[in-house]
Amino acid sequence: AQKVTQAQTEISVVEKEDVTLDCVYETRDTTYYLFWYKQPPSGELVFLIRRNSFDEQNEISGRYSWNFQKSTSSFNFTITASQVVDSAVYFCALSEARYGGATNKLIFGTGTLLAVQP
Amino acid sequence: GAVVSQHPSRVICKSGTSVKIECRSLDFQATTMFWYRQFPKQSLMLMATSNEGSKATYEQGVEKDKFLINHASLTLSTLTVTSAHPEDSSFYICSARGTDEGDNSPLHFGNGTRLTVT
């Protein structure tokens, strides 16, 4: 069965600090996809990144970076020089690959509430 | 592009009444839409998957007679909470995947509907 664990319920940092959000997943499939979404106080979910299980390269996008380690089943997310606008709930999610018209479900972790203080 | 509009954003209803929530893909066609429910400070739980022109597939533990889903067109899915009770109060979020998008492409989320049953 699929499972996504975000052990950090809440994190509080001061602006300009770096912060890492942890994500550990479980799946029996060899092909799967991992996602990070941001949910600001307004409620909508904003897509940040998708990574497939065959691509272990780390990715950097501006102040955001992701570290994917299959050996530890982790897909951690780091925000460098955090800003107040980064305050939100961040969700890690897992989707097992299905093809040929089958519907892929997105399973979410419990989320990490990040509060960036000015 | 890929905008999903959810309406209403907030609704308050009396116990025993029914409430309909609409999810529209504004600039793309969506064969598949997903309905999630989110309790305060908790993760998003998948309720059901709806495919245009066919019956929705409900997750285990979700009452299909209580949460009626209709996906009548490629741009509209509706969730009707029938005979609502206070325990149905929650944040409901829909998401959609475009017909020309891959099976594991990121989902596009609506802004959610805050339902309060008094």
Side-chain angles (χ1 to χ4, degrees):
Chain A
Q2 302 176 78
K3 185 178 179 182
V4 178
T5 302
Q6 294 179 257
Q8 305 150 308
T9 307
E10 296 186 30
I11 300 176
S12 182
V13 298
V14 177
E15 211 169 15
K16 297 184 182 177
E17 285 185 18
D18 299 346
V19 58
T20 295
L21 310 181
D22 298 332
C23 173
V24 175
Y25 62 92
E26 294 177 31
T27 178
R28 283 179 285 190
D29 274 17
T30 56
T31 304
Y32 51 88
Y33 289 79
L34 295 163
F35 301 79
W36 275 95
Y37 282 87
K38 174 183 180 179
Q39 186 180 39
S42 51
E44 78 277 20
L45 278 154
V46 179
F47 165 74
L48 296 178
I49 190 172
R50 181 187 74 165
R51 172 68 69 212
N52 74 54
S53 53
F54 297 108
D55 183 0
E56 285 193 74
Q57 281 192 349
N58 293 330
E59 179 152 343
I60 298 175
S61 176
R63 294 184 298 108
Y64 295 169
S65 62
W66 291 269
N67 184 295
F68 178 28
Q69 303 246 344
K70 284 183 76 171
S71 59
T72 56
S73 297
S74 65
F75 187 43
N76 297 337
F77 172 32
T78 297
I79 301 175
T80 304
S82 59
Q83 299 176 2
V84 174
V85 293
D86 295 328
S87 298
V89 179
Y90 290 86
F91 289 99
C92 181
L94 167 69
S95 173
E96 289 177 342
R98 295 285 184 268
Y99 301 96
T103 303
N104 303 320
K105 302 176 188 178
L106 201 58
I107 305 301
F108 286 86
T110 49
T112 297
L113 173 60
L114 174 65
V116 181
Q117 311 296 334
Chain B
V3 177
V4 175
S5 174
Q6 196 170 332
H7 179 80
S9 57
R10 291 179 179 273
V11 59
I12 301 173
C13 70
K14 291 187 177 180
S15 190
T17 61
S18 295
V19 175
K20 180 185 283 188
I21 302 170
E22 292 187 349
C23 180
R24 293 182 184 273
S25 55
L26 296 186
D27 50 1
F28 67 103
Q29 294 186 324
T31 307
T32 305
M33 289 187 174
F34 302 86
W35 287 94
Y36 287 85
R37 179 175 181 176
Q38 185 180 28
F39 292 101
K41 297 187 178 182
Q42 293 192 27
S43 186
L44 289 86
M45 303 301 297
L46 180 64
M47 298 175 65
T49 303
S50 74
N51 291 292
E52 185 265 337
S54 63
K55 290 184 178 180
T57 302
Y58 290 82
E59 294 300 301
Q60 194 173 12
V62 178
E63 299 176 59
K64 62 180 180 181
D65 293 331
K66 179 165 188 61
F67 298 100
L68 300 178
I69 292 173
N70 185 289
H71 194 157
S73 77
L74 287 173
T75 58
L76 174 64
S77 176
T78 60
L79 167 66
T80 301
V81 183
T82 62
S83 187
H85 288 96
E87 56 265 29
D88 298 325
S89 299
S90 192
F91 191 59
Y92 294 87
I93 309 177
C94 74
S95 63
R97 179 176 288 131
T99 54
D100 57 352
E101 295 178 311
D103 292 335
N104 293 285
S105 60
L107 297 177
H108 309 291
F109 284 86
N111 285 359
T113 297
R114 175 78 59 195
L115 170 63
T116 303
V117 184
T118 60

